[in-house]
Amino acid sequence: MHPEILVLAWGTVLLLVNIFLAGHLKTRQYGADWNIGPRDAPMPLLEPRAARVKRAQDNLLETFPIAIAALLGVVLAGRTSAATTAGAWIWLAARVVYLPVYWAGIKGLRTVIFLISLIGLLMVLWPLLRP
């Protein structure tokens, strides 16, 4: 199996962890009735830490389609290399670190980690952009 596909699988696990963590924190704040109910009523704003986890989830959801396209693209195009493998692992490692850093509210570091994840994605995407 290509390492890029393995990274994609672990990225999917990370997304699931993020979704369930955000859901858990919302349920802890709003209660089990909210969780199992239709969620029609407006709710108060999330507490800061829960809101940060939700924003981290939203950020991952925004960038995950790019990762899927890049990671599958280099494999399907036969353009994998040591650089695409390194880029894939850089992206995943940065995304794994991003969640707890954002959750903790560490100012500035979250942005640096996000930029590192983008560099990793660009390392994977670059071979697809060359003729």
Side-chain angles (χ1 to χ4, degrees), residues 63-76:
T63 58
F64 200 55
I66 299 165
I68 293 168
L71 293 165
L72 286 178
V74 293
V75 170
L76 294 174

Side-chain angles (χ1 to χ4, degrees), residues 22-67:
H24 169 73
L25 293 174
K26 284 188 226 175
T27 301
R28 191 162 47 160
Q29 179 178 339
Y30 297 150
D33 284 342
W34 166 84
N35 191 321
I36 63 172
R39 302 177 188 180
D40 293 333
M43 300 302 288
L45 292 176
L46 284 170
E47 296 168 354
R49 293 186 81 192
R52 287 194 297 265
V53 170
K54 174 66 172 117
R55 288 191 301 273
Q57 174 191 331
D58 292 344
N59 182 271
L60 182 56
L61 285 168
E62 290 170 356
T63 58
F64 200 55
I66 299 165

